[in-house]
Amino acid sequence: MRTFVRRPNGLGFLGRVCCLAALLAPAGCASTDEGLAPERLTPAEAEGIAALREMFRGPKITADLQELAEVHSRLAGVEDAGSLRGFLEGRLSLLEAADDERRPKEKVSALAEALAGEGGIRIEAGAPDGPVEAIIARKGSKAAATHLALLLCREINWPVAAVFVPGGLMLRWDDGKERFLFEADEGRAIPEDRIQARYGIPVETVIRGTYLSPLKPEEAAAALLLPLAQTLRARKRFAACGDVLDIAVRMLPRAPHPFLERSRLASARAAVRDADRAAFLQDAARDDLRALALDPAEESAAVELVGVYQRLRRPDDAQQALESAVAARPRSAVLQRLRGRLFADQADAVHRKWEDQDRLSRRLYQSEAVRKEASAKAKQ
């Protein structure tokens, strides 16, 4: 069996300090988030963010995906205890068993079996996004499966790269002879034109590299920060989430996903900080507009933007944003349902306005009748 060898991390003393901080952190720290200030970093979070900044210093990444997974687990309050390295060693032994005899599509199928088969993790919605958390829980999301698949392919030197699609990442095999897309948990080749049709990806976003273009190693690593940001936001660790997203936005300026996540963070902040609610919602709207500028057909950004405008009580802007999104993606069932709800809300608002006017008219009529009756009595 192949022994998994950890690459030099390039973090030196800082990396060792991060590991020490994780070991000294209270074991139950993950359960006390509600009592922590969401806009203030804990010592462990500060060390983890410092490690990430060191990794993504400048345009190139200085650490590998395994180290990123370990930092992910520290920021999520999970002790690694060798679970990641042990999992990778076991999975690599399965993949190397008959590597030379397999064709590319058979290798992809073997990768999915190694991830989700016996001794692997169960892929399901709502499961942990972090690779270490997924290994410990024996279940993970598609994001966790993608991270683990990239780790395995990198160790075994398979020509696999990550690519952006609306809503997340897919993987692409390209050895110069065969090229196809696949999802880590499915293990079957999917033609690019079918992916374009499934997601309604505009041709222009493919041409300019927003979608379906292989990400550089540093870009793929930055894309894997997005599930970490989602975890931190769900736990109301807003300061740490914001720092993680700042790195992702800097490393992925041509992708809409980091801007969309930053918009969701601003909306979450608006929900708990009433004094700054309007300012946070304005920030959310700006980031949604940036995401839509990169991909006019990104329906998630359009839905978020409409919701933000409604919370700001700007119905005309909400209507205009929705009509622009529908024009870019007319077959989207999500946008059509949202359009129907918006029309229904507007009809209800008009109906309520008419009812208010009717009640006001009745009160005025009654007041005038009372005045006339009082005047008549006074003359008598």
Side-chain angles (χ1 to χ4, degrees):
M1 182 181 76
R2 173 175 173 167
T3 302
F4 183 82
V5 179
R6 181 180 177 184
R7 293 190 178 91
N9 59 23
L11 298 180
F13 175 73
L14 179 61
R16 291 192 291 273
V17 169
C18 291
C19 293
L20 180 61
L23 291 174
L24 294 178
C29 64
S31 63
T32 60
D33 287 346
E34 294 300 327
L36 298 175
E39 298 295 347
R40 184 176 300 172
L41 294 175
T42 65
E45 287 173 348
E47 296 290 355
I49 295 298
L52 287 179
R53 286 174 177 158
E54 183 70 14
M55 288 181 188
F56 291 95
R57 183 177 54 192
K60 299 294 182 182
I61 187 171
T62 60
D64 65 15
L65 296 178
Q66 182 195 349
E67 291 161 338
L68 180 60
E70 291 168 353
V71 174
H72 190 302
S73 66
R74 288 201 296 273
L75 282 171
V78 177
E79 295 290 347
D80 181 4
S83 58
L84 178 63
R85 288 186 290 277
F87 180 86
L88 293 175
E89 286 179 1
R91 302 303 97 185
L92 285 170
S93 65
L94 294 175
L95 292 177
E96 289 181 329
D99 182 34
D100 294 338
E101 290 77 15
R102 291 175 176 158
R103 296 178 178 176
K105 293 178 182 178
E106 294 172 339
K107 291 180 179 180
V108 166
S109 178
L111 176 63
E113 179 63 25
L115 283 173
E118 184 178 355
I121 61 174
R122 187 171 70 254
I123 311 301
E124 60 183 48
D129 290 318
V132 176
E133 301 95 287
I135 292 170
I136 293 173
R138 289 299 171 185
K139 61 181 180 180
S141 66
K142 282 184 176 289
T146 300
H147 196 156
L148 290 169
L150 283 171
L151 274 168
L152 290 169
C153 291
R154 193 168 175 182
E155 287 302 317
I156 206 169
N157 294 318
W158 285 1
V160 172
V163 300
F164 269 125
V165 295
L169 290 175
M170 290 190 70
L171 301 173
R172 188 174 85 163
W173 177 285
D174 188 356
D175 59 6
K177 298 178 181 178
E178 290 192 57
R179 189 179 79 177
F180 53 84
L181 297 169
F182 67 97
E183 291 183 304
D185 59 320
E186 291 190 5
R188 57 185 177 85
I190 309 173
E192 287 191 14
D193 57 351
R194 188 177 300 173
I195 292 298
Q196 286 182 252
R198 177 196 296 181
Y199 290 102
I201 299 175
V203 175
E204 59 269 21
T205 60
V206 177
I207 294 173
R208 66 171 176 247
T210 303
Y211 295 134
L212 303 184
S213 296
L215 298 177
K216 300 174 184 176
E218 62 271 16
E219 292 176 328
L224 295 170
L225 293 177
L226 300 180
L228 172 58
Q230 293 167 359
T231 299
L232 293 169
R233 172 168 53 83
R235 294 174 54 192
K236 294 185 172 61
R237 304 307 304 142
F238 295 153
C241 180
D243 288 340
V244 168
L245 287 175
D246 286 344
I247 297 172
V249 167
R250 176 171 59 83
M251 299 297 296
L252 298 164
R254 62 190 174 96
H257 308 70
F259 295 104
L260 180 56
E261 286 302 322
R262 200 163 66 175
S263 166
R264 289 168 175 161
L265 172 61
S267 293
R269 281 172 158 158
V272 299
R273 290 181 58 180
D274 194 60
D276 302 317
R277 179 178 179 276
F280 281 132
L281 290 176
Q282 294 285 0
D283 291 341
R286 277 193 291 270
D287 281 323
D288 285 329
L289 289 169
R290 289 171 182 165
L292 288 168
L294 291 166
D295 176 18
E298 176 53 74
E299 65 180 22
S300 297
V303 171
E304 296 281 342
L305 182 59
V306 170
V308 168
Y309 280 148
Q310 287 181 312
R311 292 170 69 184
L312 286 169
R313 297 183 180 178
R314 294 164 56 179
D316 292 341
D317 290 332
Q319 184 67 44
Q320 183 178 355
L322 181 56
E323 292 304 325
S324 298
V326 170
R329 197 167 179 181
R331 296 184 180 180
S332 169
V334 172
L335 295 178
Q336 294 294 348
R337 284 196 298 269
L338 180 59
R339 193 186 204 181
R341 287 199 301 269
L342 198 61
F343 285 150
D345 291 343
Q346 290 173 345
D348 288 343
V350 171
H351 183 66
R352 286 194 299 270
K353 183 177 180 180
W354 286 345
E355 287 183 334
D356 291 341
Q357 289 177 342
D358 183 60
R359 282 194 293 269
L360 179 60
S361 298
R362 288 176 181 272
R363 285 198 296 269
L364 289 173
Y365 177 79
Q366 291 170 355
S367 298
E368 182 65 18
V370 170
R371 188 189 66 78
K372 288 181 177 180
E373 184 179 352
S375 177
K377 286 181 179 180
K379 288 179 181 180
Q380 291 175 358

